[in-house]
Amino acid sequence: METSILNLPNPTQFAVPLFVGLVLLELVYGFKTKRTKFEAKDTFTSMFMGLGSTVVGALTATFVISLSYWVWSNYGLFDFGAALWVFVLAFVLDDLAYYWIHRMGHRMRWMWAAHVIHHSSQHYNLTTALRQTWTGSLTPGILFKMPIFLLGIEPAIVFFAAGINLIYQFWIHTEAIDKMPRWFEYIFNTPSHHRVHHANNPRYLDANYAGVFMIWDRMFGTFIPEEKEEPCRYGLVTDLGTFNPLRVAFHEWIGIVKDIWSAKSWRDRVLFLIAPPGWTPDRSRMTSDMIREAWLARQEKSAKKPEPSEASLPEKTVPAE
Amino acid sequence: MDFVSLLGSLIAIVMLALAAWKMFPATEPLSPERIRRNIARYSPEIEAKALDTMDILLSNDKKSAICLFADHPEWVAITKALGDRVVVRFYQDRNSLSIEDHGDAVIIGQSDFTFPRFTVMIAEETKKKLLKLKPVSET
């Protein structure tokens, strides 16, 4: 297997000025039309988390790159080279890997501890796209990309594709765009689909994990469309009461350590790490599945009542705060 | 990432946050209606009657409140404005909350890393009501 490292640029570095320009544009657009909302401290926190993520990413890159190249050069099945079609294949396979990393990022608490940062804003604008984790390298996420290296695609090509993928996902973090043309909505991830992903309405939980191609969610049964009658409310099911970047970055890790420390058995210790977020042995907290079940039960109950009082109306009528 | 691009990024972040502060000021105070709506959103299991009859102890700056439930004396909810949004915590055991008297203010604390303790300035009458909840640790 070829061991010389392909020297490709990091696309996200070139995109940073574009990101800043587009955030500024969205600010002005929101100011003029009131269609997008910002909050100063939230904006600062989101962008500061993005900067921190870049710094940490640079510090941990050597380990990730070395591991990937070691797998590719020792165990790669084929040598695909660096033709254009290999880049296209890498992009599609990397996006498929992203789907599963992202899905596990919501369904396994260990990976959620890193990913929760991205969902911790109650706002949804372009700065939310930059609210990225500092602790991604502490999770087993990279393992999901190993099959691509084992297949024989050089890691540099996969990382280049991942950079393009990340840039694509920037523009979908906005309320300024309603819906794209129907064919586009069918194939690609869009602002509408991704708003659902960031929503904490019980109806929308754990949906739309796609990076670029929405077809993965349609294939694997996790697609939920945005409904006009149920506007998205953004954030966590239990929102953070702070803008402090350190608390934002590490709160779930602290929660895991506390839970493991006070766990009564090794089974519980392991489950606190690999079970879905919210899992507890005594069901004293709620997982997203439990939240959805409770919501459905309330919906059924309120549908049976002849004349519900205002406070017990179906939750879709509760406006976003 | 070199030092210059790090510094440039920091300056850009501060400038954009300042622009957001200027263009989108968070001015809406907490009102009883807003508090009820948010507690209902966070804890939909609380019945409407309990929300309608709860006692809302609002801080002077109207940025935080402690809510007591007449029919459930052991329940307590805290609400806090975080920028232009509202964050809520609801406890079925009032002992989950610590309340410290600090003269003009009280400090509300809880064992929750995601919701650090905070200071509220409240009217004397409200403070008395609040301090009745728990044994006070005078400072």
Side-chain angles (χ1 to χ4, degrees):
Chain A
M1 181 64 67
E2 186 70 47
T3 51
S4 69
I5 296 177
L6 199 62
N7 193 14
L8 292 172
N10 178 0
T12 46
Q13 270 184 352
F14 295 100
V16 169
L18 180 74
F19 291 166
V20 173
L22 287 173
V23 169
L24 197 58
L25 194 68
E26 196 190 25
L27 266 166
V28 174
Y29 177 80
F31 179 67
K32 289 204 179 286
T33 65
K34 309 288 177 217
R35 284 190 62 186
T36 60
K37 288 176 187 156
F38 287 80
E39 201 279 329
K41 287 180 184 169
D42 177 85
T43 301
F44 177 85
T45 304
S46 289
M47 299 188 80
F48 190 79
M49 296 311 292
L51 180 63
S53 174
T54 308
V55 172
V56 175
L59 294 174
T60 55
T62 309
F63 170 74
V64 175
I65 292 169
S66 305
L67 177 69
S68 306
Y69 267 92
W70 179 77
V71 170
W72 173 71
S73 56
N74 287 294
Y75 303 103
L77 288 175
F78 306 102
D79 184 4
F80 286 136
L84 182 63
W85 69 268
V86 181
F87 279 78
V88 175
L89 180 65
F91 187 77
V92 175
L93 291 179
D94 176 72
D95 195 52
L96 175 60
Y98 176 86
Y99 170 87
W100 283 104
I101 292 169
H102 196 188
R103 188 166 170 173
M104 292 310 286
H106 281 261
R107 301 294 298 170
M108 183 202 272
R109 196 177 175 200
W110 181 7
M111 291 179 71
W112 173 244
H115 185 58
V116 61
I117 284 87
H118 182 60
H119 287 270
S120 61
S121 172
Q122 290 195 62
H123 284 268
Y124 190 75
N125 53 47
L126 291 175
T127 68
T128 314
L130 305 174
R131 186 180 277 237
Q132 293 291 335
T133 183
W134 296 0
T135 54
S137 55
L138 299 179
T139 71
I142 187 67
L143 298 180
F144 289 81
K145 298 205 178 190
M146 290 301 162
I148 312 176
F149 307 140
L150 288 172
L151 190 65
I153 299 179
E154 184 173 346
I157 298 174
V158 179
F159 294 137
F160 182 79
I164 303 285
N165 194 313
L166 203 65
I167 292 171
Y168 177 87
Q169 289 189 50
F170 179 73
W171 77 281
I172 60 177
H173 290 84
T174 185
E175 291 189 290
I177 297 167
D178 184 18
K179 296 247 182 184
M180 300 298 287
R182 191 176 290 182
W183 68 269
F184 196 94
E185 293 278 341
Y186 189 82
I187 301 169
F188 295 105
N189 197 0
T190 62
S192 173
H193 297 327
H194 207 58
R195 282 195 288 272
V196 166
H197 176 69
H198 273 259
N200 60 18
N201 313 45
R203 171 200 290 245
Y204 292 145
L205 290 175
D206 289 342
N208 301 2
Y209 297 112
V212 172
F213 297 115
M214 210 60 214
I215 47 172
W216 308 127
D217 281 286
R218 295 182 193 277
M219 274 171 66
F220 299 121
T222 49
F223 175 69
I224 295 179
E226 184 181 30
E227 303 288 348
K228 279 264 180 255
E229 70 271 21
E230 175 135 0
C232 295
R233 294 188 311 247
Y234 306 107
L236 305 171
V237 292
T238 306
D239 284 309
L240 303 185
T242 176
F243 289 119
N244 182 329
L246 290 174
R247 285 187 191 263
V248 173
F250 298 110
H251 71 270
E252 193 66 26
W253 293 104
I254 302 269
I256 289 176
V257 170
K258 277 185 181 173
D259 284 337
I260 288 178
W261 188 261
S262 56
K264 291 192 173 81
S265 70
W266 280 102
R267 179 186 173 275
D268 289 353
R269 285 185 189 102
V270 171
L271 285 174
F272 271 128
L273 208 55
I274 64 168
W279 177 88
T280 52
D282 59 358
R283 293 172 70 91
S284 57
R285 286 177 239 154
M286 291 177 98
T287 63
S288 53
D289 294 330
M290 291 160 72
I291 291 169
R292 200 178 302 104
E293 276 168 29
W295 170 72
L296 282 169
R298 286 194 304 276
Q299 294 291 102
E300 270 179 35
K301 200 176 159 190
S302 68
K304 279 178 192 164
K305 279 186 186 171
E307 279 187 40
S309 67
E310 192 189 340
S312 63
L313 280 171
E315 282 150 48
K316 64 183 178 186
T317 59
V318 177
E321 191 63 37
Chain B
M1 175 172 262
D2 56 44
F3 178 72
V4 176
S5 42
L6 187 71
L7 192 67
S9 301
L10 269 173
I11 291 169
I13 289 169
V14 171
M15 301 276 276
L16 285 170
L18 280 173
W21 176 67
K22 222 37 189 160
M23 290 170 162
F24 299 88
T27 49
E28 194 190 347
L30 281 182
S31 62
E33 197 272 329
R34 201 176 173 207
I35 290 168
R36 282 195 181 93
R37 197 169 68 219
N38 277 282
I39 295 178
R41 181 164 72 87
Y42 268 80
S43 301
E45 71 277 10
I46 301 175
E47 64 269 34
K49 188 179 158 240
L51 290 174
D52 291 341
T53 56
M54 71 184 181
D55 194 4
I56 299 172
L57 310 178
L58 202 57
S59 66
N60 291 350
D61 61 2
K62 295 191 174 164
K63 284 186 176 173
S64 49
I66 294 185
C67 306
L68 309 173
F69 296 82
D71 296 340
H72 303 275
E74 70 284 11
W75 289 6
V76 65
I78 54 173
T79 59
K80 189 178 158 202
L82 193 75
D84 60 343
R85 304 290 145 131
V86 179
V87 182
V88 177
R89 294 289 184 271
F90 168 68
Y91 299 104
Q92 293 194 347
D93 176 8
R94 192 181 269 180
N95 293 321
S96 304
L97 224 55
S98 75
I99 300 157
E100 291 174 22
D101 184 7
H102 278 250
D104 291 345
V106 290
I107 294 180
I108 312 290
Q110 55 194 318
S111 176
D112 183 350
F113 187 75
T114 64
F115 202 129
R117 42 197 260 135
F118 61 101
T119 306
V120 283
M121 306 288 283
I122 46 173
E124 195 55 38
E125 199 178 317
T126 312
K127 189 174 132 183
K128 277 180 193 161
K129 223 178 204 178
L130 199 56
L131 293 175
K132 271 188 204 162
L133 294 178
K134 279 180 69 72
V136 182
S137 60
E138 291 286 354
T139 54

